[in-house]
Amino acid sequence: MASDPQHSTTPELTIVVPTYNERDNVRPLVDLLEKALEGHRWEVVFVDDDSPDGTAREVRAVAREKPNVRVIHRIGRRGLAGACIEGILSSVAPIVAVMDGDLQHDETILAQMLEMMQADPDLDLVIASRNVEGGSSGNGLSAVRKWGSDTATAIARRLLRITASDPMSGFFMVRRNSFNSVVLGLQQQGFKILADMLSASRGGWKMAEVPYVFRERQHGESKMDSAVALEFLSLLLVRMTGGMVSIRFILFMIVGLSGLVVHLTTLRLVMLAFPVSFAVAQTVAVVVAMTSNFILNNVLTYKDRTLRGRDFLRGLLSFYGVCSVGAVANVGVATAVYAVLPFWALAGFAGAFVGALWNFVASALVTWKS
Ligand code: GDD
Ligand code: MN
């Protein structure tokens, strides 16, 4: 392969580094990679979601000095898994690694991982693991995060039948061909691309694990938050339905359920506090629940394209419109079902489900149109 002069610059390995506000980590990371991968032909691709701190500009500055540094600068998009997928797809190397851009992942094991992949062509994946002999979360995670990570690992291993010791790792190396065979089934939204990949490969991959110690973050801060945890729960459901629904759909339904709680709480409070008729109280509750659903979907379900300022108001109004039509569909379907099968719960559920489905599809097209 490498003897063909036309291709002698083709990298053996592409390292994909998703970044969001990691400007001060870019140069140190490239320096460390140069040391760790001496003697190998490699490149690094930073996939940056237009970080406000100017990470992409910094990568371009480094790339002007070093031809094996590239950047994919994404505008108006957010998401760790999607960034990794895009970076991997941009590579022509036979082997691709994914690692964080904040120096928490130990780059010194990359050469060993690469050599393992090159020595065994059947090996699809090498995971850098915190949970095998010699590896650990070190000081990289707080006690709460450590607990969360362990719990998520236990759940994923059970529900998704994953055997790897650290499916939550954001640090791994995958053969490009193997990745191609699962990429169509992967979720763009979410944080845990490795767990998704392992589940999509249905246990058919040959994998190996290399221990590493998760380092403490020096610059910048973690983007892991409660939204990420909810995304992970949604990922589990996506996988358990065999990938029939998307993370976005599940988040939308979770928000819808929260809207029911908001609705009933508001209804009760208004009736207690004001001398108004039931119809008025119910109307207030509907508007409050729709507003709360809009706000939650805007920051959670659509956190990759959150509407702000004027767009927020326009979105809110369009969401009211969408949900009003959904309510009409809801009542129509429920009434029709009830006429045939007079079980109130069944008819009520059917109506609510169709209404929610309409709201999901229509708001995706109208309110949060990409
Ligand atoms: N492009 C892009 N878009 N990059 C992102 C985004 C995003 O929306 N969110 C986070 N990143 C980048 C960060 O800049 C960092 O380089 C990397 O993804 C990991 O994000 P952190 O916020 O540092 O995550 P963490 O340290 O809490 O957790 C990481 O390490 C764990 C251990 O391997 C993640 O990789 C976890 O998935 C992993 O379990
Ligand atoms: Mn980190």
Side-chain angles (χ1 to χ4, degrees), residues 18 20 22 49 78 101-102 104-105 145 168 217 222-223:
Y20 195 76
E22 306 286 2
D49 287 348
R78 268 308 294 278
D102 55 6
Q104 289 197 274
H105 289 158
R145 277 280 320 259
M168 299 301 130
R217 200 184 239 281
S222 170
K223 283 91 205 172

Side-chain angles (χ1 to χ4, degrees), residues 225-248:
D225 54 19
S226 39
V228 168
L230 264 178
E231 277 175 353
F232 176 68
L233 285 181
S234 307
L235 175 64
L236 292 177
L237 288 171
V238 170
R239 278 291 153 210
M240 287 160 71
T241 60
M244 268 172 53
V245 292
S246 65
I247 288 186
R248 219 189 278 289

Side-chain angles (χ1 to χ4, degrees), residues 165-183:
S165 68
D166 193 359
M168 299 301 130
S169 178
F171 189 14
F172 57 87
M173 201 174 275
V174 65
R175 203 170 294 281
R176 183 54 207 276
N177 285 338
S178 316
F179 179 80
N180 285 353
S181 70
V182 298
V183 65

